[in-house]
């Protein structure tokens, strides 16, 4: 799809050149790469090659979302994964919220992924179910992002097209049917209080996948957008440990000049 509006300053895709272990980060619905910037920088500082693509219709203007399908979002992530795979010897994928949905879809399609990490992943959101068959309003007013830290400012939209929510609902249903095909190692981060995606989503995913290595960390001081919240440093530390444990390549820490 072609976007009609320019990218908001700070919402651009991110890429950090590093070693031959690639890490793909997937942001969530209505979010942008900005929500994952600190995480991306934390991983890149340790030498990993990190890619954070901006999903179509995100980080421009909410009207751009009206012409997006979930296939557009998936194709963007798939393209970024294949680009990483072409230059790296192994690739890990990390997704937050709908980014977790995208990550699971990708893992079902590409069993060669070395491991995935999910942060408050979305598989079903009962509070949105009434929108599935709705025809109005065309635009839905948005509240503040679900972040406990009042100092965190996320780039997002004030309104969202109804059709975009309907695409999200359809997509979660599609990916739910693919969970049993996932075999790669999985680690999950779930906020004990999430006002957007019920924390039970994570347990549902872990029950359905066929991975032989799973782990879960409970975040006690963050809401939904945990990558920007009080537990962000804990997440980065755990991700670095996860990558170090799972990578088949031994790297030296990146040293700044």
């Amino acid at each position: 799809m072609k976007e009609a509006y320019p990218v908001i300053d700070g919402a651009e895709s991110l890429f950090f050149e590093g070693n031959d272990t690639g890490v793909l980060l997937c942001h969530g619905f209505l979010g942008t790469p900005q929500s994952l910037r600190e995480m991306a920088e934390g991983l890149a500082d340790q030498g990993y090659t990190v890619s954070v693509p901006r999903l179509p219709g995100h980080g421009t203007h909410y009207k751009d979302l009206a012409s997006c399908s979930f296939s557009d979002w998936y194709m963007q992530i798939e393209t970024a994964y294949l680009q990483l795979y072409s230059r790296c010897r192994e690739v890990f994928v990390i997704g937050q919220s709908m980014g977790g949905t995208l990550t699971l879809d990708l893992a079902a399609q590409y069993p060669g992924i070395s491991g995935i990490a999910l942060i408050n992943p979305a598989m079903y959101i009962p509070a949105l179910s009434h929108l599935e068959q709705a025809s109005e309003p065309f635009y839905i007013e948005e509240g503040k992002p679900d972040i406990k830290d009042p100092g965190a400012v996320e780039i997002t939209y004030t309104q969202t097209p109804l059709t975009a929510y309907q695409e999200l609902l359809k997509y979660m249903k599609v990916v739910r049917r693919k969970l049993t095909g996932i075999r790669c190692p999985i680690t999950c981060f779930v906020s004990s209080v999430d006002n957007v995606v019920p924390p039970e989503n994570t347990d549902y995913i872990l029950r359905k996948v066929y991975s032989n290595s799973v782990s879960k960390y409970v975040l006690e001081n963050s809401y939904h957008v945990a990558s920007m919240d009080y537990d962000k440093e804990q997440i980065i530390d755990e991700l670095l440990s996860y990558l170090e444990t799972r990578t088949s390549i031994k790297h030296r820490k990146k040293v700044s000049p």
Side-chain angles (χ1 to χ4, degrees):
M1 54 84 62
K2 183 174 176 60
E3 294 169 329
Y5 295 86
V7 178
I8 298 168
D9 186 33
E12 304 88 355
S13 297
L14 303 171
F15 188 86
F16 300 93
E17 188 73 38
N19 57 40
D20 48 7
T21 294
V23 185
L24 175 63
L25 301 182
C26 311
H27 69 76
F29 184 68
L30 307 185
T32 74
Q34 176 251 359
S35 66
L36 297 171
R37 174 177 281 278
E38 290 184 71
M39 184 178 297
E41 291 175 342
L43 300 178
D45 284 347
Q46 299 304 309
Y48 296 104
T49 294
V50 182
S51 175
V52 195
R54 180 182 61 83
L55 299 178
H58 292 71
T60 57
H61 191 286
Y62 60 82
K63 290 183 178 179
D64 275 335
L65 267 178
S67 56
C68 284
S69 69
F70 67 75
S71 295
D72 294 321
W73 303 329
Y74 176 77
M75 286 190 291
Q76 185 79 348
I77 292 299
E78 182 181 50
T79 297
Y81 167 73
L82 292 174
Q83 289 172 343
L84 270 181
Y85 187 74
S86 69
R87 69 164 307 287
C88 295
R89 288 170 58 188
E90 59 185 354
V91 178
F92 294 83
V93 186
I94 300 169
Q96 178 166 255
S97 190
M98 186 184 77
T101 319
L102 288 160
T103 297
L104 290 162
D105 196 2
L106 197 69
Q109 181 67 26
Y110 293 94
I113 290 173
S114 295
I116 63 175
L118 310 173
I119 305 168
N120 293 325
M123 276 289 99
Y124 59 90
I125 307 176
L128 300 179
S129 59
H130 67 287
L131 299 177
E132 192 168 6
Q133 303 299 325
S135 57
E136 57 181 25
F138 191 80
Y139 290 112
I140 296 171
E141 297 291 330
E142 297 292 338
K144 292 183 178 180
D146 191 35
I147 305 174
K148 189 174 184 179
D149 181 1
V153 179
E154 183 185 20
I155 296 174
T156 187
Y157 293 146
T158 58
Q159 298 183 75
T160 305
L162 171 63
T163 53
Y165 271 110
Q166 291 171 336
E167 286 297 309
L168 170 62
L169 291 167
K170 285 190 291 185
Y171 190 43
M172 290 190 294
K173 188 178 297 185
V174 166
V175 176
R176 286 200 297 268
R177 295 196 291 265
K178 299 182 180 183
L179 294 179
T180 55
I182 296 173
R183 302 289 191 274
C184 68
I186 300 176
T187 190
C188 297
F189 299 87
V190 57
S191 297
S192 58
V193 177
D194 187 327
N195 300 297
V196 177
V197 174
E200 293 78 17
N201 276 237
T202 295
D203 291 329
Y204 173 84
I205 292 166
L206 293 179
R207 285 198 307 270
K208 294 291 184 179
V209 297
Y210 275 62
S211 303
N212 58 14
S213 175
V214 300
S215 57
K216 182 178 79 168
Y217 298 89
V218 177
L219 305 173
E220 299 290 358
N221 203 25
S222 296
Y223 293 159
H224 183 62
V225 190
S227 64
M228 299 184 73
D229 220 329
Y230 289 120
D231 293 314
K232 60 188 177 185
E233 296 299 332
Q234 176 190 343
I235 297 172
I236 293 171
D237 288 344
E238 294 293 348
L239 285 174
L240 288 171
S241 296
Y242 177 71
L243 293 171
E244 180 67 23
T245 300
R246 289 290 167 188
T247 183
S248 61
I249 308 166
K250 295 306 176 185
H251 301 296
R252 297 182 66 183
K253 179 179 178 181
K254 186 175 180 180
V255 178
S256 300

